[in-house]
Amino acid sequence: MSESLVDQMNAALSTTIPIAAKMGVTIVEAGRGYAVSSVPAEGNGNHFGVIYAGVQFTVAEVLGGIIALSTFDTAKFFPLVKNLDISYLKMANSDLRAEARLDDETIERIAAEAEANGKSDFTLESDIVDAAGVVVARTRGLYQLRAYPKS
């Protein structure tokens, strides 16, 4: 995906999910079947000096929408999150990065199901890593690609 499209996604993120933009969540990379996001530590601390759990949740949760938008026909489909489980493994006190991927076989299944049924569920797993590359949290999200209602 070109840098200008990542810039467009970041601009859209600031209007569609303003709180994510306020946290400093940004899309670093996006393309067919993958997305990478990041969030700074600065301004996202909690009462005992580590990154607030909701910030960690958000940097991973947005990946499902970004992958859907960069992989599927946005004129026909939109993404939504149905569930997201997170396991906090270590205290986070530096900038964070999250990444998720869908393989080609899964992409084809989702596209075919959404075309035929108007929706398709898919699962994304993500590691949230700190600046040293330590996994501080893991997520498993259930997302759905849904067709826009026909007029």
Side-chain angles (χ1 to χ4, degrees):
M1 174 173 274
S2 71
E3 185 175 335
S4 66
L5 287 175
V6 169
D7 291 341
Q8 290 173 5
M9 287 186 150
N10 281 314
L13 184 65
S14 71
T15 58
T16 58
I17 311 172
I19 193 65
K22 187 171 183 176
M23 291 175 191
V25 173
T26 57
I27 307 312
V28 178
E29 295 178 53
R32 177 180 162 84
Y34 74 94
V36 180
S37 59
S38 68
V39 68
E42 186 174 341
N44 287 315
N46 64 12
H47 59 289
F48 56 94
V50 297
I51 298 178
Y52 175 60
V55 172
Q56 295 179 55
F57 178 96
T58 303
V59 75
E61 186 277 329
V62 299
L63 295 173
I66 298 305
I67 286 177
L69 295 172
S70 63
T71 304
F72 302 104
D73 185 347
T74 58
K76 294 167 66 174
F77 303 107
F78 65 95
L80 57 86
V81 63
K82 294 177 70 175
N83 185 66
L84 191 109
D85 293 319
I86 187 166
S87 296
Y88 299 98
L89 306 173
K90 301 208 180 265
M91 292 193 191
N93 56 17
S94 69
D95 295 356
L96 299 177
R97 184 176 172 104
E99 180 175 346
R101 295 188 177 274
L102 287 176
D103 60 41
D104 287 337
E105 183 179 324
T106 303
I107 291 169
E108 296 308 319
R109 176 194 58 81
I110 295 165
E113 285 178 3
E115 193 68 45
N117 305 322
K119 60 185 175 181
S120 179
D121 289 349
F122 62 97
T123 300
L124 285 178
E125 295 180 352
S126 175
D127 284 347
I128 302 168
V129 298
D130 68 11
V134 174
V135 178
V136 298
R138 285 203 166 103
T139 63
R140 181 176 174 86
L142 178 62
Y143 296 85
Q144 187 173 84
L145 186 69
R146 187 172 282 211
Y148 285 105
K150 301 201 189 282
S151 324

